[in-house]
Amino acid sequence: IPVFILAGLLVHCVFLVSIFDIYFSSPLVHGMTPQQTPLPPPAKRLVLFVADGLRADSLYELDNNGTPRAPYLRGILENNGSWGISHTRVPTESRPGHVALIAGFYEDVSAVAKGWKENPVEFDSVFNESKYTWSWGSPDILPMFAKGATGDHVYTFCYAAEIEDFGAEDAAKLDVWVFDHVKSFFNSSRSNQTLFSALNEEKVVLFLHLLGIDTNGHAHRPNSREYQENIKQVDEGVKEIASLIDNFYGNDGKTAFILTSDHGMTDWGSHGAGHPSETLTPLIVWGAGVNYPQKVTTQLFEDNFLKEWKLENLKRLDVNQADIAPLMASLIGVPFPLNSVGTLPLEYLNTSALFKAESMFTNAVQILEQFKVKMSQKKETTLSILFTPFKPLSASEQINMLKKIRLYIEQQKYDEAVSLCKTLINLALEGLSYYHTYDRLFLGLSIAVSFVGWTTYVILVIIKAHTNLTKTVPANKEKSTVLFYGFASAGMIIAFFLLIQACPWTYYIYCLLPVPVWYAVVKEIPVIQDLATNVLSLHIGQFIGFLLVCILGIEILVFSFFYRSALSVGLLVFAGWPVITQLWIQAKTKALIWTLLCVLLAIFPLMPVVGREPNIPLVIAAGLLTILISFFSLTSLCKNENKYRDNEDLKVYFYQMFSVALSTYVVGSTHNSLKMKQGLPVMNQIISWMTLVFSPVLLLLSPTFLFERLFSILLSLMSTYLLLSTGYEALFPLALFGLMFVWINMEQEALQHYGLSLKPKLAVFNFTCTVDITQFRQLHLDDVRRSFFFVFFIVTAFFGTGNIASINSFDPASVYCFLTVFSPFMMGGLLLLKVAIPFVLVSCAFEAVQVTTQLSSKSLFLIVLVISDIMALHFFFLVKDYGSWLDIGTSISHYVLVMSLTIFMMVMNGLAQLLTTQRLGLPRRNKHHSM
């Protein structure tokens, strides 16, 4: 069996990783020559202000009394500069946002997986191309642009990471730090000759990264007074810095200023997904070489923002976030970043028509360079007979277009030149995408074939080892040798084919995986023949009915990933299960409780996603309810005092109940303290971490009788879960556990109903009893339903309180009892723990069902594997890398979720066995009788 599990884990890890190779490999290419506009630039230096987490509407809209929130910037866009909205892409996080702004390309999803602070890929940026760049701000952002730079001309000044505290009095101090340091930097330069002459060079960039708005938004939400006050402070700071710089350079009119943001923020203070509040950011540009405000009478935009912001008569110039990098490059006359895919927004420039046409031409050649490198790379690794080039941009077509553009510029037909440049840029970007996805179909088919093969193999293993549908047939040696050599030679042909094309090593894994998988399937031909005979002898109507029910069940599960309400529908169907199968006749009370709990749990998926509006009283209510239920359970335990019980065991429950009460108090007092802006109390933090560490230990001290151990698991997990809750989700584990508890009882009734076994006494059932292997029974059709229930409950545990598949439903407020200083990996870890707790409850209940229904855990687990693999195959074909970025992000996370669910359930199975069977012995008087 370990061999099978290892093979399963390996195959699933390959399936999981494959999607990143097939859909999301890095789009960057290297080896292009830098392109620079041959004319003198309008500005000598550029000042870039990035107000992290600033929404477009928060900056542009007027206050209730009709005054602007940022008076200085409002004055700029009305009298001195150009403005618009910069559209960002998902993931709307700080790192990808800054890369798009400063390097001009959108980071692929794989960058997120490779860490936040370092450069997973080497890339060029406006900073790297400048003569000198000085930058001030957060240690999370600045170092990555300095690391990627060649030579040492990019200087960074960062504050300590500890200052980024969500629980702090006011995060605006982060921005004040930046403004103060810039002022003292310019003051000190007057007495430092080297610095003074460096500052007076051309092609200089000053970058101010302002994190206060983002931190205040996370801590207090964007509609709060803190967030809006912070915008006013930033406005003041920008005004001071702009006037300081103008004075320093003697108002020489050679400084360009840009103010924008890396991403926005939702109303509930998160970002990462594709909601307009996250993807619409402000852009205000003024100074040297920038157009003055253009008065217009009508503007056509689908949104109503212009009216709301009272800006209908000033021309709004929207750009994509990556277009800002070429704009900065052309303003100070540095080469465009090599990997930039942005198109220069000409309407922002106040320069000659010749300069605009030449800049546009440089932009087109720079993107065409990337296309050529990408094409030659693909050509080298593909057999010439199999290579299909990108038709619209053949070599002759490229030369033709470039000649035409040059001719237009020489004839001073600048508008024609610009429009042809734009056509060339669009074609080159299409071509880049074409070559980037060149091998996709071929790799996708390989993985799909492996998927189908693996699922078929698991079904055959179930039928062969765990049912009596097939006779054991002695293997035919000659046939199996022929088979082996046939498959081996097929594998060698595939490997040879890949070798000629110099394919990456991962391609060998994806293309050779179907060979052993299908070899294993074909070897089992006798089983398949037996099965066919058996199926044909069945009643055909019954068989089709069974298949339809299976398909419908799996489709509901797939559907629930997109619409949580599908889970409610499923739970309501479950509520009717005792009636449909007539189980209620033999167990009326249990059936009634089952139905009520199913209906109760069905309410959760209909609630809004958790974390939008914190509701601490509900968390406290959940804590009190847990303690109340514990009292009732304990009194009933004491009444049933029998020879199996030990008074010492009751102490463990009291400790656990005390722990739950303590957690309830900590949650209330922490959130009160943060509301009063007094930060996270140290005592509360210590209690929270101690609860996290010691609650599993207490659990292992409790008796291993079925209900007592499960009850102890609930108390233990609840004390941690309460600390991580901010709203109604604190009640979710209670409802889920109630249903799991009844499910164990109902499965007993089902066993009896189908006459599969006698009813064991659950009250005295002990997890540690070694189960006699000979007592394991063969699989019955009803076991497929059992496994389906488990998968359904696992998915409910996941999506019951929110669609975690979207990054932005993570709410940092959940971890405030443990820490408030920004630390992405620690916070991520705690949020994953919160997601895992309902999983553990379901896994432990399933473990109990397996043990009490006398099934080997392996056989039920294999059915679960088949169900989740069929779901994963659905999502494999639903993965997108086009369309709205929210769709892309969701489609990846769905596939990754189902694949990791499978791997996760293997781990959970082990964990559940550990939690239910292990017991730490305490020195005690020996009164214990074993069963």
Side-chain angles (χ1 to χ4, degrees):
I1 227 354
V3 178
F4 180 80
I5 286 184
L6 272 178
L9 271 173
L10 264 174
V11 170
H12 283 90
C13 288
V14 172
F15 289 163
L16 179 54
V17 176
S18 69
I19 164 189
F20 290 103
D21 251 357
I22 297 174
Y23 289 97
F24 303 104
S25 48
S26 171
L28 296 191
V29 285
H30 300 290
M32 291 78 65
T33 42
Q35 303 295 322
Q36 187 172 353
T37 311
L39 302 172
K44 282 185 171 181
R45 65 202 74 86
L46 175 111
V47 185
L48 171 65
F49 300 97
V50 177
D52 204 303
L54 174 60
R55 287 160 55 145
D57 55 350
S58 300
L59 179 70
Y60 293 138
E61 69 191 3
L62 302 170
D63 273 339
N64 298 337
N65 51 10
T67 57
R69 228 167 248 161
Y72 173 73
L73 290 168
R74 181 77 175 203
I76 291 279
L77 68 89
E78 286 175 355
N79 311 312
N80 309 50
S82 295
W83 75 285
I85 286 178
S86 155
H87 296 262
T88 71
R89 284 205 193 168
V90 170
T92 43
E93 297 290 352
S94 294
R95 181 199 161 99
H98 280 88
V99 170
L101 283 171
I102 298 162
F105 70 90
Y106 300 104
E107 255 187 324
D108 63 299
V109 183
S110 61
V112 176
K114 290 178 184 166
W116 222 234
K117 303 190 184 181
E118 299 301 322
N119 287 2
V121 282
E122 288 306 316
F123 58 82
D124 188 23
S125 69
V126 174
F127 295 175
N128 189 31
E129 296 291 356
S130 69
K131 184 131 194 203
Y132 292 109
T133 294
W134 285 275
S135 53
W136 294 265
S138 157
D140 296 333
I141 295 299
L142 304 188
M144 76 177 180
F145 292 103
K147 273 217 174 76
T150 47
D152 69 345
H153 60 279
V154 178
Y155 303 101
T156 58
F157 304 94
C158 309
Y159 38 72
E162 291 73 55
I163 304 184
E164 299 174 29
D165 186 350
F166 294 130
E169 230 165 286
D170 189 14
K173 64 177 185 217
L174 299 175
D175 301 342
V176 175
W177 186 98
V178 170
F179 293 133
D180 289 348
H181 276 70
V182 174
K183 288 174 200 165
S184 61
F185 172 78
F186 273 97
N187 290 337
S188 68
S189 72
R190 294 184 192 279
S191 57
N192 178 341
Q193 195 50 51
T194 332
L195 181 57
F196 187 79
S197 54
L199 276 168
N200 279 291
E201 293 274 3
E202 293 185 355
K203 302 178 182 177
V204 162
V205 179
L206 301 165
F207 169 43
L208 286 72
H209 175 241
L210 309 165
L211 187 66
I213 295 177
D214 182 68
T215 311
N216 266 326
H218 283 307
H220 306 288
R221 313 281 185 262
N223 296 322
S224 64
R225 188 184 54 78
E226 289 84 354
Y227 185 85
Q228 292 167 4
E229 283 296 318
N230 203 162
I231 294 176
K232 280 200 174 70
Q233 278 175 294
V234 165
D235 181 63
E236 277 295 310
V238 170
K239 178 182 175 181
E240 288 173 20
I241 298 296
S243 98
L244 168 90
I245 289 175
D246 284 339
N247 292 338
F248 182 85
Y249 290 107
N251 292 328
D252 66 351
K254 286 288 181 188
T255 312
F257 296 92
I258 294 182
L259 177 126
T260 184
S261 167
D262 52 352
H263 55 75
M265 189 171 276
T266 56
D267 289 339
W268 53 96
S270 68
H271 53 83
H275 190 269
S277 60
E278 299 163 89
T279 59
L280 303 183
T281 60
L283 174 64
I284 302 177
V285 188
W286 71 100
V290 179
N291 244 336
Y292 285 103
Q294 302 163 57
K295 296 276 189 285
V296 286
T297 44
T298 53
Q299 301 193 64
L300 294 173
F301 283 100
E302 285 178 6
D303 51 49
N304 297 325
F305 290 141
L306 290 166
K307 209 170 180 182
E308 287 171 30
W309 301 338
K310 309 262 189 302
L311 289 169
E312 304 99 320
N313 304 329
L314 288 173
K315 189 162 188 189
R316 166 178 152 188
L317 309 168
D318 282 18
V319 300
N320 287 324
Q321 196 172 35
D323 300 344
I324 297 173
L327 175 63
M328 295 196 286
S330 60
L331 281 172
I332 54 170
V334 299
F336 286 36
L338 292 175
N339 294 109
S340 165
V341 293
T343 310
L344 178 62
L346 289 179
E347 289 177 294
Y348 276 89
L349 293 179
N350 178 16
T351 53
S352 65
L354 170 66
F355 182 84
K356 289 183 180 175
E358 281 287 4
S359 299
M360 213 58 207
F361 182 60
T362 308
N363 195 178
V365 172
Q366 171 259 329
I367 291 178
L368 187 63
E369 276 282 312
Q370 293 182 66
F371 168 78
K372 287 178 179 170
V373 171
K374 193 85 172 170
M375 183 173 102
S376 67
Q377 280 180 1
K378 202 78 267 153
K379 216 170 180 173
E380 280 167 19
T381 59
T382 313
L383 291 176
S384 49
I385 33 170
L386 297 173
F387 183 70
T388 38
F390 181 63
K391 299 271 186 337
L393 209 51
S394 58
S396 57
E397 188 63 25
Q398 291 172 32
I399 296 166
N400 191 5
M401 286 176 97
L402 292 173
K403 274 186 182 161
K404 234 181 189 172
I405 296 169
R406 261 280 148 250
L407 190 65
Y408 280 144
I409 293 177
E410 281 159 19
Q411 295 171 346
Q412 300 190 351
K413 294 182 178 172
Y414 299 126
D415 291 346
E416 287 90 334
V418 165
S419 88
L420 194 54
C421 283
K422 286 185 175 167
T423 313
L424 179 56
I425 286 175
N426 290 333
L427 280 176
L429 290 174
E430 267 177 51
L432 268 173
S433 162
Y434 170 80
Y435 286 120
H436 185 56
T437 59
Y438 193 82
D439 295 330
R440 180 167 301 172
L441 182 70
F442 154 66
L443 291 177
L445 281 173
S446 292
I447 292 291
V449 168
S450 307
F451 242 122
V452 175
W454 168 258
T455 312
T456 316
Y457 177 64
V458 178
I459 293 174
L460 290 176
V461 168
I462 294 172
I463 286 164
K464 188 173 150 191
H466 299 280
T467 65
N468 11 16
L469 290 176
T470 57
K471 306 185 288 291
T472 44
V473 185
N476 184 332
K477 282 230 170 118
E478 280 171 31
K479 262 189 189 172
S480 51
T481 321
V482 172
L483 262 183
F484 178 75
Y485 285 119
F487 273 94
S489 47
M492 286 164 85
I493 293 167
I494 296 172
F496 178 66
F497 182 70
L498 293 172
L499 194 67
I500 304 173
Q501 300 195 63
C503 289
W505 63 272
T506 47
Y507 282 33
Y508 288 86
I509 298 177
Y510 304 143
C511 300
L512 289 172
L513 187 64
V515 179
V517 170
W518 279 98
Y519 170 63
V521 171
V522 176
K523 252 176 65 178
E524 303 293 348
I525 278 185
V527 179
I528 300 172
Q529 288 166 339
D530 261 13
L531 186 64
T533 333
N534 267 327
V535 166
L536 291 175
S537 65
L538 278 177
H539 188 282
I540 201 75
Q542 272 181 336
F543 179 67
I544 292 173
F546 174 69
L547 266 186
L548 281 175
V549 169
C550 286
I551 293 168
L552 183 71
I554 288 176
E555 290 310 315
I556 282 188
L557 279 177
V558 170
F559 211 65
S560 70
F561 275 70
F562 298 97
Y563 306 99
R564 286 168 55 215
S565 48
L567 290 173
S568 301
V569 175
L571 283 164
L572 292 177
V573 173
F574 281 8
W577 166 59
V579 181
I580 301 164
T581 53
Q582 300 197 323
L583 268 178
W584 69 280
I585 299 170
Q586 68 188 59
K588 289 194 176 60
T589 328
K590 285 178 188 170
L592 183 67
I593 298 173
W594 165 267
T595 306
L596 286 176
L597 282 170
C598 279
V599 173
L600 177 68
L601 199 63
I603 299 169
F604 284 92
L606 300 173
M607 306 274 277
V609 171
V610 86
R612 306 224 162 156
E613 281 306 313
N615 189 338
I616 302 303
L618 267 181
V619 182
I620 294 171
L624 297 175
L625 190 63
T626 313
I627 295 167
L628 195 68
I629 294 170
S630 318
F631 268 120
F632 280 116
S633 313
L634 271 186
T635 44
S636 71
L637 268 184
C638 295
K639 275 181 194 161
N640 297 346
E641 187 64 46
N642 63 24
K643 62 177 179 178
Y644 298 123
R645 301 291 187 282
D646 191 328
N647 273 338
E648 305 251 337
D649 298 338
L650 293 179
K651 284 184 192 167
V652 177
Y653 293 117
F654 283 118
Y655 292 140
Q656 286 186 307
M657 282 161 64
F658 176 68
S659 173
V660 172
L662 205 55
S663 295
T664 312
Y665 164 74
V666 168
V667 170
S669 85
T670 300
H671 284 272
N672 262 345
S673 167
L674 290 174
K675 217 185 224 166
M676 315 270 287
K677 299 211 168 158
Q678 290 165 352
L680 165 62
V682 179
M683 196 61 212
N684 289 9
Q685 195 175 8
I686 294 170
I687 293 174
S688 301
W689 284 105
M690 300 239 319
T691 305
L692 181 67
V693 175
F694 287 112
S695 55
V697 178
L698 277 176
L699 185 168
L700 293 174
L701 292 173
S702 66
T704 52
F705 292 103
L706 185 94
F707 288 148
E708 290 162 46
R709 177 48 71 98
L710 286 177
F711 174 54
S712 178
I713 289 172
L714 171 74
L715 286 182
S716 208
L717 296 177
M718 262 316 267
S719 53
T720 309
Y721 197 80
L722 286 170
L723 293 171
L724 292 166
S725 299
T726 58
Y728 73 85
E729 82 268 28
L731 295 163
F732 180 68
L734 284 176
L736 185 67
F737 180 76
L739 188 62
M740 294 299 97
F741 199 69
V742 184
W743 180 37
I744 297 168
N745 281 290
M746 289 299 288
E747 288 298 359
Q748 283 305 305
E749 301 295 341
L751 269 187
Q752 229 182 342
H753 182 74
Y754 289 107
L756 291 175
S757 96
L758 297 168
K759 188 170 166 188
K761 275 180 125 181
L762 285 184
V764 292
F765 195 91
N766 197 325
F767 274 119
T768 45
C769 297
T770 45
V771 184
D772 182 5
I773 296 286
T774 53
Q775 283 190 339
F776 282 150
R777 57 186 180 78
Q778 293 286 36
L779 283 173
H780 179 264
L781 260 189
D782 196 41
D783 294 320
V784 177
R785 176 204 49 81
R786 234 167 236 128
S787 304
F788 177 74
F789 270 25
F790 173 58
V791 178
F792 190 90
F793 288 138
I794 279 279
V795 174
T796 307
F798 206 83
F799 289 115
T801 59
N803 181 355
I804 311 262
S806 143
I807 307 173
N808 76 349
S809 54
F810 278 155
D811 179 16
S814 309
V815 300
Y816 286 172
C817 287
F818 292 92
L819 74 164
T820 54
V821 176
F822 180 65
S823 157
F825 294 107
M826 183 71 84
M827 287 181 165
L830 286 167
L831 287 165
L832 280 178
L833 175 71
K834 180 180 176 178
V835 174
I837 285 176
F839 266 136
V840 178
L841 283 176
V842 177
S843 300
C844 292
F846 189 55
E847 179 66 22
V849 167
Q850 283 175 4
V851 177
T852 55
T853 55
Q854 296 165 344
L855 264 181
S856 74
S857 56
K858 181 192 162 192
S859 49
L860 275 187
F861 187 72
L862 289 178
I863 304 178
V864 169
L865 202 60
V866 172
I867 296 173
S868 51
D869 277 347
I870 296 172
M871 281 166 65
L873 192 57
H874 274 76
F875 290 119
F876 182 76
F877 288 112
L878 290 172
V879 170
K880 291 179 181 170
D881 70 336
Y882 57 87
S884 100
W885 267 84
L886 181 59
D887 299 346
I888 297 174
T890 314
S891 72
I892 303 166
S893 40
H894 282 167
Y895 178 70
V896 171
L897 271 176
V898 178
M899 287 313 299
S900 30
L901 259 184
T902 319
I903 298 168
F904 196 59
M905 284 197 280
M906 295 184 183
V907 176
M908 276 294 159
N909 205 4
L911 181 67
Q913 279 179 0
L914 174 88
L915 290 181
T916 49
T917 56
Q918 293 307 313
R919 186 171 188 186
L920 299 175
L922 278 185
R924 52 173 74 213
R925 291 186 302 284
N926 192 13
K927 285 193 328 192
H928 211 72
H929 301 278
S930 65
M931 263 180 74

